[in-house]
Amino acid sequence: MSSGFSRAVCAAALLGWLAVAAAPAQPAAVESVGMEQTVAPPPGPVAEQIRERIEQWRVAQADGATAAAPVAAVAAFYEQNRFAPAWTRPDDLDQLLAALRGMAADGLDPQDYALDELQRRRHVLDDPQATAQQRAQFDLLATDACFTALLHLYRGKVDPATLDTHWNFDPRQLDQARGLQAVREALAQDTIGELFARARPQHPYYAQLRAALAKLRGVAAQGGWPVIADGPTLKPGSHDPRVPTLRERLQRVGFAVGEGMDDLDAPALEAALKQFQREHYLVADGHLGKATLAALNVPVTTRIEQLRANLERARWLLHQLQGDFVVVDIAGYQVAYYKDGKPVWRSRVQVGKPYRSTPVFKSKITYLTLNPTWTVPPTILKNDILPKLRKNPGYLAANRIRVLDGQGRELAPSSVNWASPRGIVLRQDAGPGNSLGRLVIRFPNDYAVYMHDTPHQELFANQQRTFSSGCIRVERPRELAELLLDDPVQWNRAGIDRAIDTLKTQTVMLREPVPLLLAYWTVDLREDGRVGFRPDVYRRDPALLAALARPRVSPWLPAAAAAPAPAQP
């Protein structure tokens, strides 16, 4: 199901947040002063030009034109303020321009908010020769830039549903009353810059990502990091002329590498290389092999783009990390249980192969199955089991897999035409060796995906664990089950073990459903403050970065706007 992050919902939310931002303290056309009534002064020529532009936009909407979310908010902003210009004080404008320049620190492009155009046109505020049309054009452009930038900071520039049609996460909610009051006060008290700071996600992860982006941009400004030449694998104790370049490469990003020239046997350098390998999901053996060399030689510009992609994901998702919930970090190959927003348990997981990827979505864990049977999905039947069965007729019996017809009646395998089987279901018996292990954690979804135990425990030793057909294999599922059931009397660890040891299939409902987030990040925010980079195993970053790079042109600055107005007849 597509999320409420659609343009229509964005427009409504932003309209509710910003519509009365410019409303004066006494917005009525008639103001009360003692016992007298004074009619508000008529709008000036700049206001008349603003009114004309907005009425033109309203006519276009009546004709079926489609508007981006902030445009309706801009129109309502002026309509509720009698079309009065908003950017008449230089300090307000200075703060706005500074805030727009600062969008780069969030991985966003200031030119999406017409920064150069605003700076070029700024003189109209002080130029006595500027026309009312020029001032109106500038005011509309500045207001559109402000609203759009605030919305992008608050919950992202890119609509994630355009990249994933099954996206079902709720967008960051806007509190209408508090939002309107915040904008009103910012305009009245010259605190536009503070408003931008509050619009950003306040989660510490977001600040850590911004700091990492600033650091890598500093490295890029100094020329980036050196490229290490190809060659044979270097192991501790090796002497090689590439070692000084390796030392410089690690030093550029803050690793303590010690002294030395061409000796990889230096303890500090070996320790730094191992830490780099851990941060990049490589085998931490201290060897400079092909995989480690490839990761070291990724350009700093590529890592900067990786941070930009994940800052956008942070704007989509960080507001979800509240209360009690479970997060499956797909590209990080781990699952975590949070209580009151803090992690209390973690475990390694195996996720879907790149061609059978684990989907990104939100659900709620509702029940567990102890000693589950496994009904073979059609894709696995076709692509995995049938080829094995055709080579080995005893495959089904060896793996305790039964053949059932459409009514659930068991069939003899010999009665099935395995060259073209129809109307059958394969089901594996519960017990040791079952593909789902001894425990399944279930949650509603459209993908037939669940978390489960696995007989393939040896695969957890791998750094990159894309081994499943889309489900999430959990290394220590019984510990998670105990946390989810939250019943220290009946369903403590001993109780769970006893129930599983009976070999009976049993469904156990949770007292309360627990929110579950399956998320995809290609950076690793580590407890020591460093940021690691993960392989983009599902190749999701390029589409997101392309969407971020798509330029936005303000609808309040049409190409003809800069042309002089035609003479009146």
Side-chain angles (χ1 to χ4, degrees):
M1 178 177 64
S2 178
S3 79
F5 207 104
S6 66
R7 288 183 174 85
V9 173
C10 280
L14 188 61
L15 185 60
W17 188 34
L18 298 174
V20 299
Q26 295 175 324
V30 178
E31 301 175 353
S32 296
V33 181
M35 298 297 294
E36 299 179 1
Q37 291 185 336
T38 303
V39 177
V46 177
E48 285 293 342
Q49 289 291 326
I50 293 173
R51 176 192 58 76
E52 183 176 334
R53 286 293 312 281
I54 289 175
E55 287 182 355
Q56 291 171 358
W57 176 79
R58 291 291 186 197
V59 170
Q61 293 305 292
D63 290 341
T66 301
V71 182
V74 171
F77 177 92
Y78 286 105
E79 287 168 344
Q80 295 197 12
N81 202 34
R82 294 173 55 82
F83 305 102
W87 304 95
T88 58
R89 295 184 296 191
D91 187 57
D92 284 343
L93 187 58
D94 287 343
Q95 289 190 51
L96 175 64
L97 294 176
L100 296 180
R101 285 190 289 270
M103 299 291 284
D106 295 88
L108 296 166
D109 183 358
Q111 298 314 317
D112 281 339
Y113 318 105
L115 176 61
D116 285 351
E117 192 66 27
L118 286 169
Q119 292 180 145
R120 186 177 72 82
R121 292 169 172 260
R122 190 209 163 137
H123 70 279
V124 302
L125 288 184
D126 307 315
D127 184 359
Q129 302 302 316
T131 66
Q133 183 184 39
Q134 289 173 324
R135 291 181 179 176
Q137 185 67 60
F138 179 84
D139 213 84
L140 283 161
L141 194 61
T143 301
D144 177 69
C146 180
F147 289 5
T148 304
L150 286 170
L151 179 62
H152 289 180
L153 283 178
Y154 196 73
R155 53 192 204 181
K157 172 186 174 180
V158 179
D159 179 350
T162 63
L163 304 178
D164 182 351
T165 57
H166 297 286
W167 182 270
N168 72 340
F169 288 87
D170 297 323
R172 189 179 178 193
Q173 295 301 307
L174 297 167
D175 185 313
Q176 176 174 314
R178 292 176 62 186
L180 294 178
Q181 184 63 24
V183 174
R184 185 183 297 113
E185 290 176 357
L187 292 169
Q189 300 174 11
D190 299 331
T191 56
I192 292 294
E194 295 177 16
L195 180 63
F196 271 69
R198 293 198 303 272
R200 293 183 176 93
Q202 301 301 302
H203 198 287
Y205 286 177
Y206 193 78
Q208 192 175 348
L209 285 169
R210 291 181 83 234
L213 179 62
K215 181 177 180 179
L216 283 193
R217 281 181 168 159
V219 172
Q222 295 174 359
W225 46 60
V227 175
I228 303 170
D230 197 5
T233 296
L234 299 183
K235 300 180 180 180
S238 300
H239 296 271
D240 191 283
R242 294 177 294 162
V243 171
T245 308
L246 170 63
R247 178 177 287 106
E248 181 185 357
R249 165 65 177 88
L250 293 171
Q251 202 166 28
R252 288 284 182 96
V253 290
F255 288 103
V257 296
E259 302 294 334
M261 293 299 293
D262 59 356
D263 187 355
L264 189 56
D265 200 33
L269 181 57
E270 182 184 346
L273 184 57
K274 287 181 177 179
Q275 184 176 350
F276 175 89
Q277 290 171 324
R278 285 190 291 269
E279 291 179 1
H280 291 75
Y281 287 69
L282 302 167
V283 176
D285 55 9
H287 298 177
L288 181 59
K290 289 191 178 298
T292 300
L293 182 65
L296 286 163
N297 284 340
V298 171
V300 65
T301 52
T302 300
R303 295 308 189 195
I304 287 171
E305 291 298 279
Q306 205 166 341
L307 285 169
R308 291 183 62 235
N310 286 278
L311 277 160
E312 182 74 351
R313 291 186 178 111
R315 290 185 284 268
W316 296 342
L317 291 176
L318 284 182
H319 66 281
Q320 304 274 350
L321 307 185
Q322 301 177 27
D324 298 352
F325 57 92
V326 173
V327 172
V328 175
D329 181 359
I330 296 171
Y333 310 110
Q334 65 176 320
V335 58
Y337 184 84
Y338 285 72
K339 292 285 288 184
D340 297 323
K342 297 179 181 179
V344 297
W345 176 87
R346 295 182 188 276
S347 179
R348 294 183 291 188
V349 299
Q350 302 168 30
V351 298
K353 303 177 181 73
Y355 58 91
R356 294 182 188 171
S357 61
T358 298
V360 172
F361 65 95
K362 178 181 180 180
S363 187
K364 289 187 176 182
I365 299 171
T366 52
Y367 69 99
L368 315 180
T369 304
L370 311 183
N371 294 307
T373 59
W374 178 48
T375 299
V376 178
T379 300
I380 296 178
L381 171 60
K382 176 182 176 182
N383 297 331
D384 299 340
I385 291 183
L386 283 180
K388 295 176 182 177
L389 182 57
R390 288 163 183 159
K391 292 180 180 179
N392 176 17
Y395 176 83
L396 296 180
N399 289 276
R400 298 182 297 109
I401 297 175
R402 301 175 188 271
V403 183
L404 308 177
D405 65 13
Q407 286 71 47
R409 294 172 298 200
E410 187 170 356
L411 302 175
S414 59
S415 68
V416 177
N417 177 11
W418 293 111
S420 180
R422 296 180 182 276
I424 64 164
V425 172
L426 299 188
R427 189 182 68 195
Q428 187 178 35
D429 290 346
N434 182 282
S435 294
L436 305 184
R438 310 296 295 277
L439 171 64
V440 175
I441 299 169
R442 300 189 185 272
F443 37 91
N445 65 87
D446 296 331
Y447 313 97
V449 165
Y450 31 81
M451 290 189 284
H452 63 87
D453 186 16
T454 176
H456 302 293
Q457 294 290 313
E458 73 285 356
L459 297 178
F460 288 111
N462 291 273
Q463 293 297 312
Q464 298 180 33
R465 298 184 288 276
T466 51
F467 298 120
S468 82
S469 294
C471 287
I472 303 99
R473 302 171 181 173
V474 182
E475 185 176 24
R476 305 192 314 275
R478 299 189 192 194
E479 294 176 10
L480 180 56
E482 184 178 5
L483 291 167
L484 293 170
L485 292 172
D486 193 22
D487 184 350
V489 176
Q490 182 177 0
W491 294 113
N492 54 31
R493 177 56 185 271
I496 293 171
D497 289 344
R498 283 195 301 271
I500 290 175
D501 289 344
T502 66
L503 300 181
K504 294 180 180 178
T505 301
Q506 182 177 356
T507 296
V508 185
M509 304 298 298
L510 272 61
R511 292 179 176 179
E512 294 290 338
V514 175
L516 170 68
L517 314 177
L518 281 76
Y520 188 87
W521 305 83
T522 55
V523 295
D524 191 8
L525 303 177
R526 305 177 71 86
E527 294 180 358
D528 60 5
R530 294 187 57 84
V531 175
F533 294 92
R534 303 166 172 173
D536 181 14
V537 293
Y538 295 162
R539 299 293 297 158
R540 287 176 172 262
D541 281 358
L544 173 51
L545 288 168
L548 277 174
R550 196 167 295 125
R552 177 189 181 272
V553 178
S554 172
W556 301 105
L557 185 62
Q568 295 294 322

